[in-house]
Amino acid sequence: MKRKLLVISCFTISSLGGYYVYSSNKSDKYLLQNIPHKIDSSNISREITAQQPTIKSPPNNINVQKTKVQQLTFAHAQCQERSYNFSEYVDDVHSGVVTALEHELKQGKTDRELLAYEAQYQTFYDSYQSLLVKAKVNIEENKYSFTQSVSILNEWNGMSVIEGLNTDTLNELVAALQPLENQNHGLNMSISLAQDIKKADIYALLDNNENFSTYLDSPLSIGDSPVLSPSILFILSAENLKIEEYEQAIALRTFTVNEVAIALNNKMATEYLVPLIKQTKSLGDMPILTQERFIRYENLADIAAANFHVDALKLLSKYGVKPINEPGILTAMDIAILNLPRNGTEYNKLNPDTNKVLATLSYLKAEGYKAHGKIKQFNNLTHTVFKAPRNAHTNTQSISNIKLKSLLKSIPLIDKSFNVQQLEPDNSVISIAITESKNKQKAMKRESELCASVKQQLLSEQGFEGRDKAYDIIDEIKQNPIDVKQRLHQIDPVLVGLWQKLELNYQPAPLNSDSSDTFERLLAEGKTSQALEYSAQTPLTQTQTDALFHYMLRSNIEFLSAWNVRVSPQMPSSILSLRGLPVEKWQDLLHQGFDFSIIDLLGNDAYIAAALNSPQAIQFLVDNNFKLDIDKYGLDALDTLLELSYENGQLHENLPKLIPLYPKFRASHYARVARIKQFYPEEYLQLIAIDKALTPIAGTELNKFRSRYF
């Protein structure tokens, strides 16, 4: 249920390309996403069918074909942009329904009244209930102060409570995050508190007067909170203060339900929770920072039930805040049961008389709460299947703890007579919005089908085969396991790379490897000597190997010593990381003992990285006697630059430096040169001027496959 915390260095954060960047579903967050500019499908169609009215006589075949390719390429680019912004299009489909729900909520409509329209809505990535929660969150959001300006981090006091943050790293962090402001970037980076927090830093958090509860919406998250604020950081670090110090510290501060929700989810001790609740305004409000995808929390008492925090339930009850109790919709008992630990041993960690799970269920039962479910017979045994509407089910058959199973069976059940009665479509704002949502879904489907057609037409016009055809060929070649790589290469070196990617999916981790994040933590904290010792004794996983390669190149060259002493050394996933480094860094790596003759898991070598870097990088390899492998299977450096030249419509600037290194050319080179000749004849003339030996013979077939990972 709770997000795992990761300790990462500020360098890793600032790189935004390291190994601690994870995708997250930001569409479930509290903030509304911007409605995107919609791609006009009719415009795509026009681009496909457009003619040039100024041309009065039929152009030659090459020009006609080139014009058609350009039209399709433009349309395909629009489709790719649409695909890249897909989550925004989904939000657009939902927006009308969410707005209608907000309107009705503000008019005083109840959940039961609004859920009566649920059957009219066909789930499209988000359920109707999720949209209802989103509407409630949008309304509540107006009560709080949010910002996406990461420069506010420089204004906050007490930031040293975060692991790895100091004046220098804070500036790096802000600079790295600023390009992501106001973007639907979809990134999440979990950070953690420092291991040794100074009390002065905790007190400093309280000195952030106007911005104490200003929430920073950014890729950063901490302690089950998707946002940062001084108030949240204070709550997470508060138990580093003695209780007397804590009570005195917060006496003049006011908190929101969001801070209390974070405290509950992070298991704050009751003695610290009591004074916090006393200092919290509007205790009955809906906490918006801790909503989950499949379970909604109307108030703090719901979150207390989810965390089996009986003391909090009793305390909040004294302030008039009680958990939800809506038969036919959701009850606090449903919430508690949905959050039961899946591991039976969890129930036996505490004394049975004080077990928090048993205590919470017993308390809710005594308070009159029931659960949704039914009794079933299985193998002559009676079981209770709990299932709240629109939620997962829990079966007592799977519970091993006898005392818990007995308690669960004694919980009163709510029958289906309380279910929300569904309405037929009418002229209400909700029904109208749902109808419009369906129309938008249909439009998206039409655009998707059109884009699929555009892609197929573009491939056909260019003479390319799709990935499905490539995989069919690979499957056929693999039927005879002899010389697979060589046979694939003869068809097209691109197939070698695709085959290797498929094979990597089945590659096991090295024996005796450590799958924990111990090694990555050493790298993140810049502990070179400990990383060296670890690497010399423990076989690294692929993830650890890649992390070491990344830190060695991007952060600290001293990690090269750990790289050179690896036990059972593996190849990095991609050597192409070298392409972004200045040649001076290549020189430093060489002086420190880095071997530029290595290849990565896909067979890429340093010459491909150099070709993508600069003429100076190519010359560096030549000057230091690293040989170009002209017989390697798979794409080589020249294949790579020829593909890029075709993709960009102009010769790559590094070709004049690379081509003279080849004493001979292979079939894959000529196939790509022939493609440039057909579609970009002027660029072709410049190409063969570098070396006439690149002239393809008559009838040379164009390459039918390409790699698009550059």
Side-chain angles (χ1 to χ4, degrees), residues 264-283:
L264 287 169
N265 281 344
N266 284 274
K267 317 302 182 192
M268 176 178 273
T270 301
E271 62 177 339
Y272 285 80
L273 195 61
V274 172
L276 173 61
I277 288 178
K278 288 181 180 179
Q279 297 298 120
T280 301
K281 62 180 180 180
S282 304
L283 272 172

Side-chain angles (χ1 to χ4, degrees), residues 474 488 492-502 602 634-635:
I474 292 171
L488 289 173
D492 195 300
V494 168
L495 299 177
V496 176
L498 291 177
W499 169 69
Q500 289 173 315
K501 287 181 181 178
L502 292 173
L602 297 179
L635 289 172

Side-chain angles (χ1 to χ4, degrees), residues 109-404:
K109 293 291 181 67
T110 65
D111 281 9
R112 182 169 291 275
E113 289 174 308
L114 295 177
L115 287 171
Y117 296 91
E118 185 173 18
Q120 299 178 29
Y121 173 81
Q122 183 177 359
T123 297
F124 184 70
Y125 293 92
D126 280 342
S127 67
Y128 182 82
Q129 181 174 264
S130 296
L131 300 185
L132 178 57
V133 172
K134 187 176 292 187
K136 291 183 176 184
V137 167
N138 289 343
I139 294 172
E140 291 295 311
E141 183 189 50
N142 293 320
K143 299 177 181 179
Y144 307 105
S145 175
F146 287 90
T147 182
Q148 289 193 348
S149 176
V150 293
S151 61
I152 198 172
L153 290 171
N154 285 320
E155 302 174 18
W156 287 349
N157 299 315
M159 290 296 97
S160 296
V161 299
I162 297 175
E163 178 69 33
L165 270 191
N166 54 46
T167 302
D168 293 335
T169 55
L170 183 58
N171 290 332
E172 293 177 12
L173 173 61
V174 170
L177 293 177
Q178 280 177 333
L180 300 176
E181 291 178 353
N182 302 306
Q183 291 186 21
N184 184 21
H185 43 68
L187 297 177
N188 176 52
M189 304 175 68
S190 292
I191 59 177
S192 72
L193 295 176
Q195 297 182 16
D196 183 19
I197 297 178
K198 297 179 175 61
K199 289 184 179 181
D201 290 330
I202 301 176
Y203 287 123
L205 290 167
L206 295 170
D207 293 334
N208 296 282
N209 296 318
E210 291 110 5
N211 292 323
F212 183 63
S213 290
T214 297
Y215 301 132
L216 172 62
D217 174 31
S218 73
L220 304 179
S221 62
I222 187 169
D224 203 56
S225 172
V227 300
L228 259 61
S229 73
S231 57
I232 290 171
L233 292 174
F234 175 80
I235 292 303
L236 293 175
S237 57
E239 291 181 73
N240 288 280
L241 299 175
K242 294 179 180 179
I243 186 62
E244 299 82 8
E245 297 171 330
Y246 167 75
E247 290 176 333
Q248 185 177 2
I250 68 171
L252 299 178
R253 273 291 171 201
T254 301
F255 295 86
T256 76
V257 292
N258 295 306
E259 282 85 57
V260 182
I262 299 299
L264 287 169
N265 281 344
N266 284 274
K267 317 302 182 192
M268 176 178 273
T270 301
E271 62 177 339
Y272 285 80
L273 195 61
V274 172
L276 173 61
I277 288 178
K278 288 181 180 179
Q279 297 298 120
T280 301
K281 62 180 180 180
S282 304
L283 272 172
D285 283 356
M286 180 186 198
I288 64 174
L289 300 184
T290 52
Q291 295 297 324
E292 297 193 17
R293 186 171 179 82
F294 299 110
I295 307 178
R296 61 181 173 129
Y297 302 112
E298 293 290 337
N299 57 36
L300 291 172
D302 290 349
I303 295 177
N307 284 283
F308 305 101
H309 203 315
V310 179
D311 291 340
L313 283 169
K314 295 177 180 178
L315 179 61
L316 288 166
S317 180
K318 292 180 181 179
Y319 288 90
V321 181
K322 296 187 177 183
I324 188 172
N325 191 16
E326 292 282 353
I329 299 177
L330 189 70
T331 72
M333 189 68 83
D334 293 325
I335 291 175
I337 292 172
L338 284 167
N339 282 280
L340 284 174
R342 299 303 175 187
N343 185 349
T345 59
E346 291 291 320
Y347 307 119
N348 301 317
K349 287 184 177 180
L350 301 176
N351 184 299
D353 295 328
T354 59
N355 187 291
K356 64 178 185 177
V357 174
L358 298 174
T360 300
L361 295 175
S362 297
Y363 171 81
L364 292 172
K365 179 184 175 183
E367 289 292 303
Y369 286 88
K370 301 178 181 180
H372 293 86
K374 57 185 176 181
I375 305 296
K376 282 193 171 184
Q377 296 290 330
F378 184 74
N379 291 339
N380 297 321
L381 296 175
T382 301
H383 300 287
T384 303
V385 179
F386 296 98
K387 188 181 188 310
R390 312 161 199 86
N391 281 290
H393 70 272
T394 301
N395 194 331
T396 56
Q397 183 182 8
S398 63
I399 303 297
S400 59
N401 183 282
I402 297 176
K403 193 166 186 177
L404 175 61

Side-chain angles (χ1 to χ4, degrees), residues 419-437:
N419 286 359
V420 178
Q421 298 301 309
Q422 296 298 299
L423 297 173
E424 293 296 323
D426 52 27
N427 291 325
S428 65
V429 293
I430 302 296
S431 284
I432 293 172
I434 290 174
T435 300
E436 177 60 24
S437 173

